[in-house]
Amino acid sequence: MRSRIHHAAGRHARGRLTGRPASRRAFTLLTLGAAAAAVAAAVAGAGAMPAVSLRAANTAAAAAAGAPLDKVLSRPGGLYDSVTGMAFTPRGTNFVRLAKAPDGSVYHSAFEPGQYSQAFVQATLDNMKSSSGYNTVRVFIDPGEFTSPSHGISTSVSSTTPVNAAYIANVADLIRRAAADGIYTIPVLSDIPANTYYYNIAGNPAGNIQGNNVVYLDPRYVAAKEEYLRQFVTALAGLLGSQAADSDVLAYESDNEVFFDASQPPFSTMSGKLTSLDGLTYDMSQPAQRQQAADANLVAYSIDMKHALVQADPGALLMMGFFTNKAVGKPGFNGFTTFCSANCKPGTDYRVPGRAASVSIYGAADILDIHVYPTSSSYSLTTDLNSIEYGRFTKPYIIGEFGAIKSVYGGNIVTAASAMKNLQVASCTLHAKGWLFWTWDTDTTTSLASQSLYYSLADSRGAINGLLAPAARANPCS
């Protein structure tokens, strides 16, 4: 998780364009264990297989889209096919393409106009389904950067167009082709597009909210994110049709990995007051109130994201992604007691994951996406998930990223494959409802963003895939 792509926290605090703050509502949110009724009212209002090498792409056949896939519903006990009533278990992979911008930054390029290949995408999806039996693919939408030329869905920094037409057409093309192969798509929409349209809404961050904290605490930034989700879903429905956009997209993931930054205000010192998204004021000198500020505002954020989605698609499911406390060296949620404002310690990770349990109990996310990566031979999945309070989840969760770091397994892919299978089996007893491996084949195409450190499903003629694919192992729990 730490070696892979994520936008720098500071990006949200620089290059902001002046705009008028949107009017916001204020409502009271209570922390874990308190009366949920107050929030409920607010929610109501708002052995190796054959290699995974490419087969010849049947582009024409895939382009002729058939009937939409069955709509998947989220219920407290799991995910279900709305037509058959049967449990639906997402099993699949993350499809990732990376490129380097002129300034040296790395971005998700899977849908970049001029780089997107229909033939390659078709062949890849065909292999995911026919050779492996997967039913879900997770993809990343690039919001662009403050560079010239820009990239991604933003068109350019000066653009006042909400969605790049060529870019969203490529997204729709993959979703259409995936559905024709019986594969659901999860698009990840972290951040907001880096252009004038959205940053006129977002404005400049308040002085006491900086870095990645802006994403969840700044009402104007959240308003811009709501607009992004509305525009994205509306544009997609215009290309796919509203039924296909609703059914073929398993869920819209508003955030790859929710986190706050304790090296940035308001968490970088044990002092001051904070009034932010939920309209309440918190004493940032008190650990309990510091934690409550993050928890309650993240719940408010999830409600806003869900509200934006259903304005464009009444049946849309909201997913939110999280890494664990253990992944960033923390025992649990303790009020941001590891912080710094200056002279931050090298080697200390000041990120704090969002409290997924709060979102599950009080918020509006339909599915939680938890990311786990064993980092040593003594790794314990139970300990890792306990650090994020998985036992308190009331909404279904999937493991939307799990992967094998080559060095952890001594460069032995056979050992890594066995470990990945064992992790999947173990997670069944911990109530996981689906699994998406990191990645399908990224390390075979690039070393950008340290991807060469991770095994993919394509390595060694599909050695890991041979133990994870439904075609080889129909029951993920045995």
Side-chain angles (χ1 to χ4, degrees):
M1 176 270 301
R2 278 169 280 184
S3 298
R4 292 175 291 103
I5 285 287
H6 83 145
H7 290 282
R11 189 175 86 77
H12 307 292
R14 68 177 189 268
R16 303 289 297 273
L17 302 174
T18 302
R20 292 174 296 178
S23 61
R24 305 288 300 178
R25 72 190 186 290
F27 50 86
T28 302
L29 296 174
L30 307 177
T31 194
L32 291 174
V39 177
V43 177
M49 289 179 67
V52 287
S53 57
L54 298 179
R55 295 193 293 110
N58 187 350
T59 306
L69 299 173
D70 292 351
K71 174 68 177 176
V72 172
L73 303 176
S74 174
R75 296 290 182 263
L79 303 175
Y80 297 91
D81 185 310
S82 64
V83 175
T84 67
M86 300 290 288
F88 176 77
T89 303
R91 295 180 69 180
T93 185
N94 289 267
F95 176 62
V96 175
R97 284 294 174 273
L98 303 174
K100 183 177 288 188
D103 68 348
S105 62
V106 178
Y107 64 94
H108 285 281
S109 60
F111 302 108
E112 187 67 21
Q115 297 183 44
Y116 182 81
S117 167
Q118 292 181 339
F120 180 82
V121 165
Q122 186 64 58
T124 299
L125 293 168
D126 286 349
N127 272 296
M128 287 182 186
K129 189 64 177 183
S130 62
S131 299
S132 301
Y134 290 124
N135 62 18
T136 306
V137 63
R138 184 170 177 261
V139 296
F140 290 79
I141 307 304
D142 172 31
E145 265 289 358
F146 295 105
T147 59
S148 183
S150 189
H151 48 79
I153 203 167
S154 64
T155 305
S156 69
V157 174
S158 61
S159 175
T160 55
T161 301
V163 172
N164 182 314
Y167 190 98
I168 196 71
N170 290 339
V171 177
D173 182 74
L174 180 142
I175 293 172
R176 188 181 298 116
R177 292 169 187 277
D181 271 338
I183 297 173
Y184 292 85
T185 302
I186 300 172
V188 181
L189 296 110
S190 295
D191 302 317
I192 60 175
N195 67 25
T196 299
Y197 180 85
Y198 291 102
Y199 277 84
N200 272 344
I201 301 171
N204 292 310
N208 68 333
I209 304 174
Q210 294 290 322
N212 208 63
N213 303 322
V214 170
V215 178
Y216 310 107
L217 300 179
D218 187 326
R220 296 167 302 175
Y221 188 97
V222 174
K225 181 60 175 278
E226 290 179 76
E227 176 67 3
Y228 176 31
L229 295 190
R230 280 191 295 266
Q231 291 286 349
F232 182 90
V233 177
T234 299
L236 201 58
L239 294 169
L240 294 174
S242 57
Q243 185 178 356
D246 180 55
S247 299
D248 297 347
V249 174
L250 178 62
Y252 294 92
E253 188 159 6
S254 62
D255 302 81
N256 175 41
E257 292 176 333
V258 175
F259 72 92
F260 296 91
D261 186 349
S263 69
Q264 295 286 338
F267 299 109
S268 54
T269 63
M270 291 288 286
S271 62
K273 305 287 185 182
L274 171 70
T275 303
S276 57
L277 182 61
D278 68 354
L280 303 180
T281 299
Y282 298 92
D283 182 350
M284 301 305 284
S285 70
Q286 301 298 316
Q289 290 201 39
R290 289 162 66 85
Q291 189 65 59
Q292 174 70 355
D295 298 349
N297 279 287
L298 185 58
V299 168
Y301 172 86
S302 75
I303 293 169
D304 286 348
M305 294 305 103
K306 178 68 173 183
H307 182 251
L309 282 180
V310 300
Q311 284 182 310
D313 172 7
L317 298 184
L318 172 65
M319 180 182 288
M320 295 175 68
F322 302 84
F323 53 76
T324 67
N325 273 299
K326 189 174 184 299
V328 288
K330 296 174 179 63
F333 298 100
N334 58 13
F336 295 76
T337 55
T338 300
F339 66 92
C340 72
S341 58
N343 300 317
C344 298
K345 297 178 181 177
T348 297
D349 197 328
Y350 291 97
R351 291 177 297 165
V352 177
R355 200 166 196 169
S358 288
V359 173
S360 174
I361 297 169
Y362 306 124
D366 300 290
I367 308 169
L368 303 179
D369 166 19
I370 309 302
H371 300 171
V372 297
Y373 289 84
T375 54
S376 72
S377 58
S378 61
Y379 172 82
S380 164
L381 179 64
T382 301
T383 300
D384 203 1
L385 292 179
N386 274 334
S387 77
I388 201 169
E389 305 172 327
Y390 85 95
R392 305 192 74 168
F393 295 171
T394 61
K395 301 286 182 63
Y397 82 94
I398 69 168
I399 297 182
E401 290 184 20
F402 70 112
I405 303 170
K406 295 175 182 178
S407 61
V408 171
Y409 306 101
N412 187 324
I413 196 170
V414 175
T415 302
S418 178
M420 293 299 99
K421 173 191 172 183
N422 292 340
L423 183 152
Q424 186 178 57
V425 171
S427 70
C428 289
T429 65
L430 304 176
H431 313 300
K433 301 301 181 183
W435 305 267
L436 306 175
F437 190 77
W438 185 275
T439 61
W440 175 253
D441 65 350
T442 308
D443 74 315
T444 68
T445 66
T446 183
S447 61
L448 292 174
S450 303
Q451 290 309 295
S452 59
L453 301 179
Y454 297 82
Y455 286 121
S456 72
L457 294 180
D459 284 327
S460 300
R461 296 183 57 83
I464 295 176
N465 200 45
L467 293 185
L468 296 181
R473 216 174 102 248
N475 184 351
C477 299
S478 65

